[in-house]
């Protein structure tokens, strides 16, 4: 059996010597530091005692020059972003940060455990990048340039291992259960001992290898906990499974009438289902930063001094270079426009639904979209210096903060597990010392106590409800992604909405006004030549409109077809005052004809005002955070019935506002859809996103809902409330069952067979109670 690390309790990797007591150098250093040795003394001892040195990889990678990857700032600070392989736990993070902080010239060293990204800053005149990398590799860790594609490898391997264990346990449980049914029936139909023993041996041959393989996730966790002189829920599971299998094997060898292989392997099968689903949910955490980083360009077109162009990878782009951004392309760097004029779609960054005109001197950010004309930019920031990278950092930080949430089952198990061990031990010792029994029957009583108190019902209390809640929500068009989202949703007392794409549909619609049909048709035909959102809204109003030849587009102004113009008020030359000019508009001017005005609105979702009113009636506080203009945000807030609103909020501003509410003790539900909402979605207590949202926002959210309505918000809050009640009822059932059954087992009135049946009955009760979640409330009210 694999040993457990003395510090973090994780299994010691198999490639280490059998006598190794730590899984990594970080744990070893942290352990000795905590024991009072101190980091300095530890390293002094390690320098003279090679036995203390961490194990090195079997094949060292060839030396690599990292100086070319360093980003040099005007402040004399060098910056480098790396990916560190071999992290086991928080001790590894602590060790690497501590060692780097002691290095001369280092200003900051921050390692993210989730993404394994190391952000390193140092005074360039005092330190060298290769020396700093060598300080990390000397600890036994592997270092590589940051590559988000490799981040999911470890998580995928864990999920594959759990899935294989689940398949093995399921196959074995099904076959052993068939044999057990025959044995149980044989007890009442005069089955011969030889036939019964043969079936027991066949069951043993199937169950024991399966238990040894499928039980590894629980056995490793239990050994790690015991090595740290503490306990967790995996300890009684492991003891119960091992003792049940061991006693069953002993009974089979003795030709005894009872064996319990079916109980052991079936328990593992059900528990592995929950463990696999939990691993899948936790794996989504890392996806947020990965998808954000995927928005970075892989190649940039650079304008050279001789007028030619050259394609360079983004890591070789430096501030001051001139780059070209084609129409329809995403801006790869932060920069200022030196030549050209175009419409820039900033919705991913600011949430603004309509593109804005940009020309020489205007700043543009990486991740925005150049819509209508090519641009030349002077680079001001690249890579980790861009606003897009800042959103990555904000999201990572917010996700780390959310990790403080602990599932209710984990909190209950901290008390439950040690009590189970104590009761079984008391039964075993008591029957030997006071009851005068031999150790074999006393052990059978202790096994019965362990089986009857085996936390199967407790372990199913939450997963059974979660599986049913997930299925119910999925039928309503809601995908639940987080294992603890329902628990957090119950606590919500403030709901924060984004505007564009969340409260509104995120697309401009032509207002139904008294517009001459001929003018509307002409404007739609001209608009068909443009990709501007307002032009596309006009085309949508006249299906089948096709663009005539020779339509010319003036970026940031409008469209011209001969003497006919369609565009902004200023460009078309309209001077007459018009009321209600707040919203977006286009004007059509023709020689000899009065100008025609087309007004647009980003319409509220059909049930937005109703949902807001219902949330208010339930006592929730409502807020609106948007990167849009104040006038547009105010109009949307008034239409939806939200009094508290903030406009022109960049990602950091949304995170700051949410953090202020959280710090004040509020539980915040964030509903958003844009890339600029991703950090806020991660920072909130719990978060929702529509399926129309940017992929990064869907990854950051705890749940995603379909459709053009906000009704799913009430549905998920209702399901969370009912699920919370059922989970607590399940805990009461599981604990009440134990209070009744344990005394009987300790008194010797319960055999292991009866204990297994009773344990299974308690699990059935828990699952049956969870099934009530699918019952519709009276009146069919889903909210």
């Amino acid at each position: 059996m694999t040993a457990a690390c003395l510090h973090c309790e994780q299994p010691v990797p198999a490639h280490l010597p059998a006598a190794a007591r730590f899984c990594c150098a970080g744990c070893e250093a942290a352990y000795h530091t905590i024991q009072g040795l101190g980091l300095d003394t530890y390293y002094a001892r390690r320098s003279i005692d090679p036995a203390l040195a961490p194990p090195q990889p079997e094949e060292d990678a060839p030396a690599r020059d990292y100086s070319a990857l360093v980003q040099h700032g005007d402040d004399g600070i060098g910056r480098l972003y790396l990916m560190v392989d071999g992290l086991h736990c928080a001790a590894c993070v602590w060790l690497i940060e501590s060692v780097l902080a002691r290095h001369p010239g280092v200003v900051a060293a921050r390692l993210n455990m989730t993404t394994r990204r190391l952000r390193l800053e140092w005074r360039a005149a005092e330190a060298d990048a290769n020396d700093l990398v060598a300080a990390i590799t000397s600890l036994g860790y592997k270092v590589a340039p940051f590559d988000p594609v490799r981040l999911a490898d470890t998580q995928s391997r864990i999920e594959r291992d759990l899935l294989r264990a689940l398949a093995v346990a399921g196959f074995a449980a099904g076959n052993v259960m068939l044999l057990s049914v025959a044995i149980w029936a044989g007890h009442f139909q005069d089955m011969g001992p030889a036939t019964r023993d043969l079936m027991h041996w066949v069951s043993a041959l199937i169950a024991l290898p399966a238990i040894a393989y499928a039980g590894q996730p629980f056995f490793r966790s239990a050994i790690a906990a015991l090595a740290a002189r503490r306990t967790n829920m995996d300890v009684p599971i492991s003891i119960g499974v091992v003792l049940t299998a061991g006693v069953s094997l002993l009974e089979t060898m003795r030709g005894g009438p009872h064996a319990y292989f079916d109980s052991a392997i079936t328990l593992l099968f059900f528990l592995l289902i929950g463990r696999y689903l939990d691993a899948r949910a936790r794996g989504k955490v890392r996806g947020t930063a990965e998808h954000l980083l995927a928005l970075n360009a892989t190649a940039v077109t650079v304008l050279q001094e001789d007028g030619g162009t050259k394609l360079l990878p983004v890591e070789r782009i430096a501030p001051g270079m001139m780059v070209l951004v084609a129409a329809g392309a995403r801006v790869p760097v932060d920069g200022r426009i030196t030549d050209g004029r175009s419409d820039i779609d900033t919705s991913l960054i600011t949430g603004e639904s309509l593109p804005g005109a940009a020309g020489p001197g205007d700043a543009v950010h990486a991740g925005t979209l150049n819509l209508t004309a090519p641009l030349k930019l002077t680079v001001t920031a690249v890579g980790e210096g861009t606003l897009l990278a800042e959103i990555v950092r904000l999201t990572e930080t917010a996700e780390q903060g959310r990790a403080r949430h602990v599932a209710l089952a984990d909190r209950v198990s901290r008390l439950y597990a040690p009590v189970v061990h104590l009761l079984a031990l008391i039964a075993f010792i008591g029957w030997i010392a006071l009851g005068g029994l031999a150790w074999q029957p006393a052990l059978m009583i202790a096994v019965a106590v362990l089986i009857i108190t085996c936390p199967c019902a407790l372990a199913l209390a939450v997963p059974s409800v979660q599986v049913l809640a997930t299925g119910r929500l999925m039928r309503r068009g809601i995908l639940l992604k987080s294992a603890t989202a329902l628990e957090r949703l119950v606590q919500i007392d403030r709901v924060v909405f984004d505007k564009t794409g969340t409260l509104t549909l995120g697309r401009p619609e032509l207002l139904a006004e008294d517009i001459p049909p001929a003018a509307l048709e002409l404007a739609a035909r001209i608009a068909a030549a443009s990709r501007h959102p307002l032009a596309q809204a006009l085309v949508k109003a006249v299906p089948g409109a096709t663009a005539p030849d020779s339509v010319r587009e003036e970026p940031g102004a409008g469209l011209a077809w001969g003497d006919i113009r369609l565009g902004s008020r200023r460009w078309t030359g309209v001077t007459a005052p018009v009321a209600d000019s707040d919203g977006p508009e286009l004007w059509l001017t023709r020689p000899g004809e009065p100008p025609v005005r087309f007004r647009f609105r980003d319409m509220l979702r059909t049930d937005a005002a109703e949902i807001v009113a219902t949330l208010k009636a339930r006592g929730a506080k409502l807020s609106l955070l948007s990167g849009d203009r104040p006038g547009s945000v105010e109009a949307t807030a008034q239409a939806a019935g939200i009094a508290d609103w903030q406009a022109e909020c960049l990602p950091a501003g949304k995170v700051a506002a949410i953090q202020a509410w959280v710090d004040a003790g509020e539980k915040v539900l964030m509903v958003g859809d844009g890339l600029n909402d991703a950090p806020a979605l991660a920072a909130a207590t719990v978060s929702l996103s529509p399926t129309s949202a940017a992929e990064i926002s869907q990854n950051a959210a705890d749940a995603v809902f379909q459709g053009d309505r906000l009704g799913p918000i009430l549905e998920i809050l209702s399901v969370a409330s009912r699920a919370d009640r059922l989970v607590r009822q399940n805990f009461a059932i599981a604990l009440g069952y134990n209070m009744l059954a344990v005394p009987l087992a300790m008194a010797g009135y319960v055999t292991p067979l009866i204990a297994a049946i009773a344990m299974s009955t308690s699990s059935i009760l828990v699952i049956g109670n969870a099934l009530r979640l699918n019952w519709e409330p009276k009146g069919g009210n889903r909210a």
Side-chain angles (χ1 to χ4, degrees), residues 617-675:
R618 294 184 175 186
K621 303 172 186 176
L622 278 298
S623 298
L624 173 60
L625 300 178
S626 175
D628 214 337
R629 300 181 305 272
S632 177
V633 176
E634 182 179 16
T636 300
Q638 289 179 351
I642 300 175
D644 179 28
W645 57 272
Q646 296 180 38
E648 298 180 342
C649 282
L650 291 178
K654 292 187 177 185
V655 171
I658 289 175
Q659 192 61 53
W661 287 317
V662 172
D663 291 343
E666 296 185 9
K667 306 298 183 183
V668 179
L669 166 62
M670 172 71 189
V671 188
D673 76 311
L675 182 145

Side-chain angles (χ1 to χ4, degrees), residues 175-200:
N175 285 277
V176 173
M177 189 59 69
L178 287 175
L179 293 168
S180 297
V181 169
I183 295 172
W184 294 341
H187 282 301
F188 305 100
Q189 297 178 7
D190 299 323
M191 175 184 285
T195 304
R196 182 197 63 209
D197 291 346
L198 176 62
M199 289 190 173
H200 279 166

Side-chain angles (χ1 to χ4, degrees), residues 171-183 191 193-211 245 248-249 251-253 256 259-262 265:
F171 173 81
N175 285 277
V176 173
M177 189 59 69
L178 287 175
L179 293 168
S180 297
V181 169
I183 295 172
M191 175 184 285
T195 304
R196 182 197 63 209
D197 291 346
L198 176 62
M199 289 190 173
H200 279 166
W201 276 113
V202 174
S203 298
L205 290 174
I206 297 173
L208 292 179
I211 290 171
S248 298
L249 180 61
E251 284 291 294
T252 301
M253 295 171 65
Y260 315 102
F261 298 113
D262 52 347
I265 191 62

Side-chain angles (χ1 to χ4, degrees), residues 202-568:
V202 174
S203 298
L205 290 174
I206 297 173
L208 292 179
I211 290 171
Y213 180 81
Q216 289 184 45
F218 307 99
F219 300 156
R220 290 171 182 165
S221 174
I223 291 173
L226 293 174
R229 300 178 182 178
R230 64 179 183 83
T231 186
N232 60 17
M233 188 179 284
D234 290 336
V235 174
I237 290 173
S238 300
I239 293 176
V241 168
V242 171
L243 279 180
T244 302
V247 170
S248 298
L249 180 61
L250 182 62
E251 284 291 294
T252 301
M253 295 171 65
R254 293 174 56 245
H258 301 299
Y260 315 102
F261 298 113
D262 52 347
S263 299
I265 191 62
T266 304
L267 175 62
L268 283 179
F269 174 64
F270 282 115
L271 292 176
L272 279 168
I273 292 175
R275 189 65 58 94
Y276 175 72
L277 293 175
D278 181 66
R280 290 281 294 177
R282 294 179 187 273
K284 296 296 182 182
V285 173
R286 188 172 289 121
T288 302
E290 294 174 22
H291 284 278
L292 269 174
L293 293 166
L295 290 173
N296 281 316
T298 56
V300 182
T301 303
V302 178
L303 184 64
Q304 297 180 302
E305 293 182 0
D306 59 2
T309 60
K310 185 177 182 181
L311 206 61
L312 291 178
V314 69
E315 59 266 18
R316 293 182 58 185
I317 304 300
M321 286 185 175
M322 187 80 69
V323 301
L324 299 179
V325 183
R330 197 168 294 280
V331 178
V333 296
D334 282 5
R336 289 194 176 275
I337 299 175
T338 55
D339 187 27
R341 185 175 294 277
S342 181
D343 294 305
I344 303 295
D345 180 357
T346 62
S347 58
L348 287 176
I349 302 295
T350 65
E352 169 64 69
S353 57
L354 296 178
D362 291 334
V364 292
H365 297 291
T368 56
L369 192 63
N370 178 27
L371 291 178
T372 53
L375 295 173
K376 293 181 181 179
L377 307 180
T378 300
V379 178
T380 58
V382 295
E384 296 295 332
T386 63
L387 180 59
L388 180 61
E390 178 62 23
I391 295 176
V392 175
R393 289 191 288 273
L394 287 169
T395 305
E396 288 178 346
T397 301
E399 284 178 338
Q400 285 179 314
R402 184 181 287 176
R404 66 183 180 275
H405 296 288
V406 181
L408 182 59
D410 293 338
R411 296 199 294 269
V412 172
S413 69
R414 292 173 184 172
L415 221 63
Y416 182 89
V419 171
V420 170
H421 304 149
L422 183 61
L423 292 175
L425 183 62
I426 289 174
F428 179 68
I429 296 176
W431 276 104
I432 293 177
L434 303 178
L437 290 182
W439 71 268
Q440 293 94 339
L443 180 61
M444 294 295 288
I445 292 175
V447 168
V449 173
L450 277 175
I451 293 176
I452 209 164
T453 59
C454 192
C456 191
L458 186 64
L460 289 172
V462 175
S464 60
V465 175
Q466 282 186 335
V467 169
L468 290 167
T470 300
R472 178 188 174 96
L473 291 172
M474 190 170 292
R475 291 192 296 273
R476 304 286 192 270
I478 304 168
L479 174 62
L480 190 65
K481 297 168 50 195
S482 170
T484 60
L486 293 176
E487 185 179 334
R488 286 177 274 140
L489 278 163
V490 178
Q491 308 167 6
I492 293 304
D493 46 33
R494 180 182 292 272
V495 182
V496 179
F497 289 98
D498 172 52
K499 182 184 81 70
T500 305
T502 304
L503 276 179
T504 68
L505 295 172
R507 55 181 182 268
E509 301 281 348
L510 179 65
L511 294 180
E513 296 180 325
D514 188 16
I515 301 172
L520 177 59
E521 183 177 354
L522 176 60
R525 291 182 61 207
I526 296 174
S530 174
R531 292 182 295 178
H532 193 284
L534 295 184
Q536 293 301 307
L538 262 179
V539 174
K540 183 180 177 182
V542 183
T546 56
D549 295 334
S550 305
V551 175
R552 185 180 78 258
E553 183 165 9
E554 293 288 337
L559 299 159
W561 184 38
D563 294 332
I564 303 173
R565 288 191 171 191
L566 176 68
S568 66

Side-chain angles (χ1 to χ4, degrees), residues 609-751:
E610 176 187 351
I611 298 301
V612 167
T614 304
L615 290 171
K616 282 183 179 178
R618 294 184 175 186
K621 303 172 186 176
L622 278 298
S623 298
L624 173 60
L625 300 178
S626 175
D628 214 337
R629 300 181 305 272
S632 177
V633 176
E634 182 179 16
T636 300
Q638 289 179 351
I642 300 175
D644 179 28
W645 57 272
Q646 296 180 38
E648 298 180 342
C649 282
L650 291 178
K654 292 187 177 185
V655 171
I658 289 175
Q659 192 61 53
W661 287 317
V662 172
D663 291 343
E666 296 185 9
K667 306 298 183 183
V668 179
L669 166 62
M670 172 71 189
V671 188
D673 76 311
L675 182 145
N676 64 314
D677 295 319
L681 290 167
T685 309
V686 65
S687 54
L688 306 178
S689 181
T691 52
S692 58
E695 187 175 10
I696 171 58
S697 295
Q698 294 186 42
N699 278 279
D702 291 297
V704 178
F705 61 89
Q706 296 178 338
D708 289 338
R709 298 173 62 85
L710 293 177
I713 296 175
L714 297 183
E715 174 68 21
I716 195 171
L717 288 173
S718 174
V719 169
S721 178
R722 296 183 62 195
D724 181 69
R725 289 196 300 272
L726 291 174
V727 165
R728 296 180 187 280
Q729 290 170 9
N730 279 350
F731 280 130
I733 291 172
L735 296 176
Y737 147 80
N738 280 293
M739 291 177 66
L740 177 64
V742 169
L744 295 175
M746 294 184 70
Y749 292 112
V750 178
T751 67

